Amino acid sequence: MTYMYNSLNMSDAALFIGTPQEKFFYHNTLLCVVNSLQGKNVTVDLRNDTYVCGLIELVDGFMNISFKNAIYCDPQGNEFAFDNLFIHGRNIRYVHIPENMSLLSTIRHEVSKKFYKPHMKQLTEKTRKTKKAVMQHMKVVASLNT
Protein backbone atom coordinates (compact mmCIF):
# COMPACT_ATOMS: atom_id res chain seq x y z
CA MET A 1 0.00 0.00 0.00
CA THR A 2 1.30 3.42 -0.80
CA TYR A 3 0.05 6.87 0.01
CA MET A 4 -0.18 9.91 -2.22
CA TYR A 5 -0.81 13.42 -0.97
CA ASN A 6 -3.47 15.46 -2.70
CA SER A 7 -1.70 18.48 -4.21
CA LEU A 8 -4.95 20.18 -5.19
CA ASN A 9 -6.44 20.16 -1.74
CA MET A 10 -3.13 20.62 0.13
CA SER A 11 -4.62 18.70 3.03
CA ASP A 12 -2.68 16.38 5.27
CA ALA A 13 -5.05 13.46 4.59
CA ALA A 14 -3.29 10.74 2.66
CA LEU A 15 -4.99 9.03 -0.26
CA PHE A 16 -5.05 5.23 -0.29
CA ILE A 17 -3.52 3.68 -3.38
CA GLY A 18 -3.39 -0.09 -3.44
CA THR A 19 -4.52 -3.21 -5.18
CA PRO A 20 -8.25 -3.92 -5.39
CA GLN A 21 -7.80 -6.66 -2.78
CA GLU A 22 -6.16 -4.20 -0.36
CA LYS A 23 -8.97 -1.68 -0.90
CA PHE A 24 -11.53 -4.43 -0.20
CA PHE A 25 -9.83 -5.33 3.09
CA TYR A 26 -9.60 -1.66 4.03
CA HIS A 27 -13.32 -1.03 3.56
CA ASN A 28 -14.67 -4.37 4.82
CA THR A 29 -12.52 -5.01 7.89
CA LEU A 30 -11.28 -2.95 10.81
CA LEU A 31 -8.00 -2.35 9.01
CA CYS A 32 -8.84 1.36 8.92
CA VAL A 33 -8.57 1.45 12.73
CA VAL A 34 -5.10 -0.10 12.67
CA ASN A 35 -4.15 2.26 9.84
CA SER A 36 -5.16 5.25 11.97
CA LEU A 37 -2.63 4.15 14.62
CA GLN A 38 0.32 5.12 12.42
CA GLY A 39 2.69 7.37 14.32
CA LYS A 40 1.48 6.14 17.74
CA ASN A 41 3.05 3.82 20.30
CA VAL A 42 1.02 0.61 20.37
CA THR A 43 1.26 -2.91 21.79
CA VAL A 44 0.52 -5.77 19.39
CA ASP A 45 -0.01 -9.35 20.63
CA LEU A 46 1.20 -12.05 18.26
CA ARG A 47 -0.11 -15.56 17.68
CA ASN A 48 2.91 -17.24 19.29
CA ASP A 49 2.17 -15.66 22.72
CA THR A 50 4.70 -12.87 22.24
CA TYR A 51 4.09 -9.16 21.93
CA VAL A 52 5.67 -6.12 20.35
CA CYS A 53 5.59 -2.57 21.70
CA GLY A 54 6.68 0.31 19.52
CA LEU A 55 5.91 3.18 17.21
CA ILE A 56 3.85 2.08 14.19
CA GLU A 57 5.57 3.44 11.11
CA LEU A 58 3.47 1.87 8.32
CA VAL A 59 0.42 -0.37 7.93
CA ASP A 60 -0.37 -1.85 4.53
CA GLY A 61 -3.59 -3.24 3.06
CA PHE A 62 -2.95 -6.74 4.44
CA MET A 63 -2.36 -5.40 7.98
CA ASN A 64 1.39 -5.96 7.80
CA ILE A 65 2.88 -3.56 10.33
CA SER A 66 6.28 -1.88 10.32
CA PHE A 67 7.49 -0.69 13.72
CA LYS A 68 10.15 1.81 14.61
CA ASN A 69 12.01 1.60 17.96
CA ALA A 70 10.22 -1.64 18.84
CA ILE A 71 10.64 -3.96 21.82
CA TYR A 72 9.88 -7.63 21.21
CA CYS A 73 8.98 -9.72 24.28
CA ASP A 74 9.01 -13.52 24.10
CA PRO A 75 6.92 -15.87 26.31
CA GLN A 76 9.84 -16.31 28.77
CA GLY A 77 9.88 -12.54 29.41
CA ASN A 78 13.08 -11.77 27.49
CA GLU A 79 13.04 -8.37 25.79
CA PHE A 80 14.79 -7.54 22.52
CA ALA A 81 15.09 -4.01 21.14
CA PHE A 82 14.87 -3.34 17.39
CA ASP A 83 15.28 -0.12 15.44
CA ASN A 84 12.92 -1.45 12.74
CA LEU A 85 10.64 -4.48 12.96
CA PHE A 86 8.20 -5.90 10.41
CA ILE A 87 5.25 -8.08 11.46
CA HIS A 88 3.15 -10.06 8.98
CA GLY A 89 -0.58 -9.46 9.35
CA ARG A 90 -1.31 -13.19 9.63
CA ASN A 91 0.81 -13.36 12.81
CA ILE A 92 -1.18 -10.67 14.63
CA ARG A 93 -3.61 -11.83 17.30
CA TYR A 94 -4.62 -8.52 18.87
CA VAL A 95 -3.85 -4.82 18.50
CA HIS A 96 -4.23 -2.77 21.68
CA ILE A 97 -6.17 0.41 20.89
CA PRO A 98 -5.22 3.41 23.07
CA GLU A 99 -7.92 4.35 25.59
CA ASN A 100 -7.94 8.00 24.54
CA MET A 101 -8.93 7.08 20.97
CA SER A 102 -12.62 7.15 19.99
CA LEU A 103 -13.30 4.13 17.79
CA LEU A 104 -16.45 5.40 16.08
CA SER A 105 -15.01 8.77 15.16
CA THR A 106 -11.78 7.13 13.96
CA ILE A 107 -13.65 4.70 11.70
CA ARG A 108 -15.83 7.50 10.31
CA HIS A 109 -12.81 9.69 9.63
CA GLU A 110 -10.78 6.93 7.94
CA VAL A 111 -13.62 5.66 5.75
CA SER A 112 -14.73 9.16 4.74
CA LYS A 113 -11.33 9.96 3.21
CA LYS A 114 -11.45 10.24 -0.53
CA PHE A 115 -9.55 7.44 -2.14
CA TYR A 116 -7.64 7.49 -5.40
CA LYS A 117 -9.67 6.11 -8.29
CA PRO A 118 -8.00 5.84 -11.67
CA HIS A 119 -9.94 7.40 -14.52
CA MET A 120 -11.76 4.75 -16.47
CA LYS A 121 -11.72 4.93 -20.21
CA GLN A 122 -15.16 5.99 -21.32
CA LEU A 123 -16.79 4.37 -24.28
CA THR A 124 -17.29 6.88 -27.05
CA GLU A 125 -19.49 4.58 -29.02
CA LYS A 126 -22.26 2.46 -27.49
CA THR A 127 -22.76 -1.00 -28.85
CA ARG A 128 -26.16 -2.45 -29.63
CA LYS A 129 -25.91 -4.66 -26.56
CA THR A 130 -25.17 -1.67 -24.31
CA LYS A 131 -28.05 0.35 -25.76
CA LYS A 132 -30.42 -2.57 -25.20
CA ALA A 133 -29.26 -2.99 -21.60
CA VAL A 134 -29.75 0.74 -20.90
CA MET A 135 -33.25 0.65 -22.40
CA GLN A 136 -34.15 -2.41 -20.28
CA HIS A 137 -32.82 -0.66 -17.19
CA MET A 138 -34.87 2.46 -17.94
CA LYS A 139 -38.03 0.35 -18.32
CA VAL A 140 -37.44 -1.33 -14.97
CA VAL A 141 -36.85 2.02 -13.24
CA ALA A 142 -39.98 3.47 -14.84
CA SER A 143 -42.07 0.51 -13.69
CA LEU A 144 -40.76 0.92 -10.11
CA ASN A 145 -41.73 4.59 -10.04
CA THR A 146 -45.35 3.86 -10.89
Side-chain angles (χ1 to χ4, degrees):
M1 171 176 74
T2 57
Y3 290 93
M4 182 175 94
Y5 290 95
N6 188 349
S7 61
L8 297 175
N9 200 354
M10 292 298 202
S11 67
D12 59 347
L15 298 175
F16 182 87
I17 301 172
T19 64
Q21 188 176 15
E22 285 178 308
K23 289 179 185 177
F24 176 82
F25 288 144
Y26 189 85
H27 288 291
N28 294 294
T29 64
L30 291 176
L31 176 62
C32 60
V33 175
V34 179
N35 191 30
S36 69
L37 294 173
Q38 289 185 31
K40 297 182 180 167
N41 282 313
V42 177
T43 301
V44 176
D45 293 339
L46 304 178
R47 288 177 34 193
N48 60 354
D49 295 327
T50 61
Y51 64 93
V52 177
C53 298
L55 181 73
I56 293 183
E57 191 172 27
L58 182 69
V59 178
D60 71 4
F62 299 107
M63 204 166 34
N64 300 323
I65 301 176
S66 294
F67 285 95
K68 193 178 206 179
N69 301 328
I71 297 176
Y72 175 84
C73 298
D74 64 8
Q76 289 78 29
N78 301 323
E79 294 184 355
F80 305 95
F82 293 94
D83 290 333
N84 294 308
L85 183 66
F86 180 81
I87 304 292
H88 283 278
R90 62 190 165 132
N91 293 326
I92 295 173
R93 175 179 291 161
Y94 186 80
V95 177
H96 294 264
I97 308 295
E99 289 183 19
N100 60 357
M101 185 174 158
S102 171
L103 270 176
L104 289 177
S105 64
T106 301
I107 292 171
R108 285 186 186 123
H109 179 266
E110 287 292 321
V111 174
S112 68
K113 287 182 182 176
K114 295 186 179 185
F115 295 98
Y116 174 75
K117 293 181 183 177
H119 296 287
M120 297 197 51
K121 185 178 178 183
Q122 294 183 359
L123 295 175
T124 56
E125 184 177 309
K126 289 186 179 179
T127 63
R128 187 173 61 89
K129 185 176 180 180
T130 307
K131 290 177 185 177
K132 185 176 179 182
V134 169
M135 290 302 293
Q136 181 64 28
H137 174 73
M138 297 305 282
K139 286 180 186 177
V140 170
V141 170
S143 67
L144 291 175
N145 290 335
T146 57

